[in-house]
Amino acid sequence: MQELSDEELDALILTRLKLVGVDLGILPADDPAAPADQRRILASARSFLRSTPRAIRDLPFFHEGVVPALYPVAASGPPAHPDEG
Amino acid sequence: MRDGDLPQDVWVDRRAFLLRMAALSAAAPSALAFVPAGEGYAPPAPGAGSSPFPEAGLPGDSSLPLAPGALDPARSAFEAARRRGLARWITRSLPEGEDELTVAEALALMNQGRLHPRALVEAYLDRIRRLDGVYRAWNVVLESEARRSAEQVAGWSPGSGPLHGIPLAVKDNYYVGGVLTTANSHIFREFRPSWDATAVVRLRAAGALVLGKTQMGPLATTRATTPEGRSTTVNAWTPGDPGVNPGGSSTGSATAVAARMAASSIGTQTGGSITAPALAQGLTGLKPTMGRVSLHGVIPLTYSRDHPGPIARDAMDAALLLQVLAGPDPADPRTRGLPPVPDYIRAAEPVTRNGRPALRWPTTLGILPGYLSGPPLEPGTEPEEGVAVQRRTRMLEEEAARRVMVREMERLGVRVVELPYPEEWDVLTGGPLNNVRLPERSEPFLTWLRTDVRLFGSALSPWINGLLLSGDEYLRGQRAKARLLEIVLEQVFSRCDVVVQTSPIPFDMIGLPLIALPIGFDETSGPARPMGAMLGAPPFGEERLLALAAAYQSVTDWHRRRPPDPEAALVASTPAGPRPWWEADPAEGVDPGRREALRGARPRRGVRIDAAQVMDLSQ
């Protein structure tokens, strides 16, 4: 899958934050002397999104594509013919 | 050896602990249901909102008195030790100053009628007054209260508590009734809880005196800094060099003990915050098993990973504190239904056989790859320069110290085995999986994130990132933690009783106990700096860790080394202490042209939060 651009990720981050009512706009845009600025916060968030969800998705023990017949989805996969219902 | 003589880690049901941890993670979002109702936030004092130093004196009634018999295990363990003879705890020529006494030594002297608590209090207050301007370990010093309490506890009597008259330092994220509890954060700038954290209630009930609140990394993140990220507390071994990491986030607690400004202390650990400052400052820090010590009344960082515990001078002092701290608390579901609290004091008493120091229990120590000899330099590697050389030299020094430590332990009778890293260790303990904790940070603080993100200062990023993880990712991450715990129990603790660790993160993730202890000093450049080792154990392995540390400390003296006081010129050029974080000028060290703008951008102080919001935070 193609990497998302910085702009795409920034849009995702800012939209998500807006949905929960968090406003980064109160921070300076780019000020290395400030405790936090929008540029650094967004850079950190982009790095987080580029690494963490993928690492969790690719964890061993959790198989992709198996029928979630058991909860939690077992490391060994579902039984061959899971009962319906 | 009778079964009753075995340490708890031998007979405890590890599978039950695994299930408990899995349930704890899943239950985290609904844990509020377990928190009792009640006011948690005192009404603001008149004028408090405008003063950086609101007056103390708000109601200090503890709304959660200890249940009858809650301290019985601690009292029984201490009484048994007293019958065995507390004088045995004095194993060296007594130092001249009271400030140098360990907790155990002070208790033994008080038991003999040779020491009064007020002498201890005055010794520490004197050092705080003279030297904390340099160390910056404290946010609040309860000078009057400590003096008054020391007079009230009087001399020793048969009913005296296990920590009778012992002055302690308390990290500034523990609620202390009527006393500022800031967590070095703008959010709590004016927060004065009206009741004590359960840990503080237990310590006071055992006779301990709260000397004050210590500086910390903002909201228990980094080393102690202002909310804007400027360092405050220094390493007691290098007071003239703020650049040397003192360890965090329980920085002030460690510096207070290392600099002999308190007999002992309590901190909290979510990602190394007890063990790191203990390692950096030559102390013995113990992070207990998840749930062993109540977190009720501790400002939260990560519900499924926060652990309170002692940062002490040696293993016996850590045992004395843990003996009092440990136990079930109706207000903290993590503490319920655990195995009974064992006798930690006995575990930490040194043992001799045939006149020689020995182990209390047969113990196998697991050594992981690279612990005793890190990766060799690649052939043809060019000589390093500057900082890289220093780092490499320190690494070699640490490896040498570790080898000596292992040899000493072998002489004590420890069996050493080399272990491979467990399956998928790097994946399951790496940064991305460690990030799974972040939603647990963000959720209780959402109100403040929405109010003004500047309240989080330089620590903001992880709180924002925690809002970006999806629910399915959080759940899968929690299940991966349960898998990690299962692997560690199956592949590590089936082959050893104690294992070396170089990072606290894995055992912090899965709630297993860790102890940090000094094993030498790095004297390759500048002032001597402590080096230490970190050892981990299976669930409820605190006795094993304390016993091993105590045996090691009976044949070494690293834990007895005392840092030299700051140079007189440095003391003379520094304002007198204590100097809390809020005394720092936000524009200190900044280009004059920018100062006014920075001061103007400062977030408003001391956001008011109501009782319901405090209960949110008290998860």
Side-chain angles (χ1 to χ4, degrees):
Chain A
M1 191 163 56
Q2 192 179 358
E3 285 286 340
L4 293 174
S5 67
D6 283 3
E7 290 72 24
E8 288 171 318
L9 285 172
D10 285 352
L12 166 67
I13 294 160
L14 293 171
T15 303
R16 168 67 184 150
L17 294 181
K18 197 166 186 177
L19 277 171
V20 294
V22 174
D23 178 16
L24 292 186
I26 199 167
L27 296 173
D30 182 1
D31 181 357
D37 62 28
Q38 294 179 50
R39 183 188 60 77
R40 276 178 283 155
I41 298 298
L42 286 171
S44 166
R46 288 194 301 268
S47 171
F48 175 84
L49 286 173
R50 284 186 169 123
S51 61
T52 301
R54 177 177 300 172
I56 293 172
R57 183 197 68 195
D58 293 343
L59 277 170
F61 321 116
F62 303 111
H63 299 300
E64 293 284 345
V66 296
V67 180
L70 295 175
Y71 191 84
V73 181
S76 56
H81 301 286
D83 293 332
E84 291 187 0
Chain B
M1 185 176 290
R2 291 178 293 117
D3 281 354
D5 289 334
L6 294 173
Q8 200 160 57
D9 61 272
V10 171
W11 56 264
V12 75
D13 184 345
R14 294 179 182 179
R15 182 62 51 178
F17 183 76
L18 175 62
L19 294 172
R20 163 180 283 273
M21 288 301 289
L24 176 76
S25 298
S30 60
L32 190 60
F34 295 96
V35 179
E39 180 216 13
Y41 195 70
S50 60
S51 167
F53 300 103
E55 293 300 315
L58 289 170
D61 58 316
S62 167
S63 59
L64 288 169
L66 286 182
L71 274 187
D72 283 355
R75 291 186 184 282
S76 298
F78 187 70
E79 181 54 27
R82 205 179 65 79
R83 284 197 299 271
R84 291 193 292 272
L86 300 190
R88 295 188 307 139
W89 290 353
I90 302 176
T91 57
R92 61 173 173 169
S93 300
L94 281 176
E96 288 191 5
E98 288 86 354
D99 57 65
E100 181 55 25
L101 296 169
T102 66
V103 172
E105 289 168 341
L107 288 169
L109 289 179
M110 283 194 265
N111 185 238
Q112 296 168 352
R114 296 166 61 192
L115 178 69
H116 192 284
R118 66 172 169 262
L120 281 178
V121 167
E122 291 303 333
Y124 295 130
L125 288 177
D126 176 61
R127 288 188 64 78
I128 292 169
R129 192 169 44 246
R130 287 190 295 113
L131 303 175
D132 195 51
V134 174
Y135 290 124
R136 303 201 67 176
W138 301 85
N139 272 337
V140 174
V141 177
L142 302 173
E143 187 170 341
S144 302
E145 181 187 319
R147 281 206 172 97
R148 193 167 56 245
S149 301
E151 288 298 334
Q152 286 170 352
V153 297
W156 186 276
S157 66
S160 294
L163 293 174
H164 177 84
I166 299 297
L168 299 179
V170 174
K171 187 176 179 178
D172 204 19
N173 55 351
Y174 286 85
Y175 288 22
V176 173
V179 176
L180 276 177
T181 297
T182 73
N184 277 45
S185 166
H186 286 302
I187 296 171
F188 296 95
R189 171 82 185 248
E190 292 164 17
F191 178 37
R192 290 174 188 269
S194 62
W195 44 276
D196 289 350
T198 299
V200 176
V201 172
R202 296 182 72 95
L203 291 171
R204 282 179 156 162
L209 313 177
V210 176
L211 202 49
K213 308 292 296 297
T214 53
Q215 296 216 33
M216 54 185 284
L219 297 172
T221 49
T222 57
R223 66 180 281 187
T225 71
T226 66
E228 290 76 24
R230 285 197 314 285
S231 299
T232 53
T233 312
V234 297
N235 190 318
W237 292 88
T238 56
D241 185 357
V244 174
N245 192 346
S249 64
S250 309
T251 317
S253 289
T255 297
V257 178
R260 276 45 170 182
M261 295 188 288
S264 198
S265 69
I266 52 173
T268 57
Q269 174 151 330
T270 308
S273 288
I274 287 174
T275 50
L279 292 171
Q281 304 206 45
L283 301 171
T284 302
L286 177 63
K287 187 213 79 160
T289 306
M290 167 59 70
R292 204 25 125 185
V293 178
S294 170
L295 272 161
H296 184 63
V298 177
I299 291 171
L301 182 60
T302 306
Y303 181 85
S304 66
R305 280 177 53 163
D306 293 345
H307 303 76
I311 302 176
R313 294 267 299 281
D314 60 17
M316 173 54 87
D317 282 8
L320 285 161
L321 262 68
L322 181 62
Q323 195 74 66
V324 170
L325 292 167
D329 177 7
D332 185 349
R334 289 164 285 204
T335 65
R336 311 296 297 276
L338 302 182
V341 176
D343 190 337
Y344 298 122
I345 298 173
R346 177 172 164 272
E349 283 180 352
V351 174
T352 56
R353 290 195 186 91
N354 303 320
R356 297 176 57 189
L359 296 175
R360 180 167 293 278
W361 299 292
T363 296
T364 300
L365 173 67
I367 305 288
L368 294 169
Y371 184 75
L372 299 179
S373 57
L377 285 177
E378 293 293 322
T381 302
E382 292 297 318
E384 297 141 314
E385 293 181 0
V387 173
V389 167
Q390 282 183 20
R391 197 171 294 148
R392 177 77 183 165
T393 305
R394 181 170 170 85
M395 198 173 78
L396 293 172
E397 289 287 313
E398 282 189 352
E399 287 164 9
R402 289 171 181 172
R403 285 194 290 272
V404 173
M405 173 200 76
V406 170
R407 274 206 300 275
E408 287 289 356
M409 289 191 172
E410 285 182 306
R411 281 197 200 102
L412 285 162
V414 170
R415 179 173 161 263
V416 175
V417 296
E418 292 186 7
L419 302 176
Y421 274 106
E423 185 183 345
E424 304 291 352
W425 180 259
D426 287 344
V427 173
L428 289 172
T429 64
L433 257 291
N434 191 27
N435 284 339
V436 169
R437 74 197 189 284
L438 296 181
E440 295 182 48
R441 280 193 195 188
S442 310
E443 186 268 338
F445 283 94
L446 186 56
T447 299
W448 292 272
L449 287 164
R450 295 174 66 173
T451 300
D452 185 344
V453 289
R454 292 177 302 173
L455 290 166
F456 292 78
S458 59
L460 175 62
S461 258
W463 270 265
I464 293 295
N465 295 348
L467 294 171
L468 303 176
L469 205 67
S470 70
D472 63 302
E473 289 158 351
Y474 174 78
L475 282 172
R476 182 170 280 202
Q478 296 301 319
R479 283 165 48 209
K481 279 169 52 180
R483 179 67 183 139
L484 173 63
L485 175 56
E486 191 174 34
I487 288 173
V488 169
L489 295 179
E490 287 174 357
Q491 298 177 21
V492 176
F493 291 120
S494 61
R495 300 182 58 189
C496 65
D497 306 299
V498 173
V499 67
V500 298
Q501 291 286 281
T502 52
S503 163
I505 300 300
F507 279 29
D508 283 343
M509 289 170 76
I510 55 182
L512 298 184
L514 288 168
I515 198 166
L517 69 165
I519 61 168
F521 281 82
D522 175 10
E523 296 175 294
T524 51
S525 65
R529 286 191 281 160
M531 296 186 295
M534 189 161 45
L535 306 173
F540 310 104
E542 290 84 357
E543 287 171 285
R544 178 86 67 171
L545 293 173
L546 287 165
L548 182 57
Y552 176 77
Q553 290 178 342
S554 74
V555 295
T556 57
D557 71 350
W558 308 117
H559 59 292
R560 295 202 187 285
R561 307 283 179 94
R562 173 181 175 130
D565 285 352
E567 291 179 5
L570 178 60
V571 175
S573 65
T574 308
R579 285 205 293 149
W581 65 263
W582 55 83
E583 278 196 0
D585 183 339
E588 187 179 300
V590 171
D591 180 333
R594 296 183 33 76
R595 284 180 189 157
E596 287 313 308
L598 271 180
R599 286 174 178 140
R602 198 175 182 184
R604 60 200 174 99
R605 293 192 306 253
V607 167
R608 298 262 181 268
I609 52 181
D610 61 28
Q613 291 169 325
V614 165
M615 295 322 294
D616 277 349
L617 282 171
S618 299
Q619 287 181 39

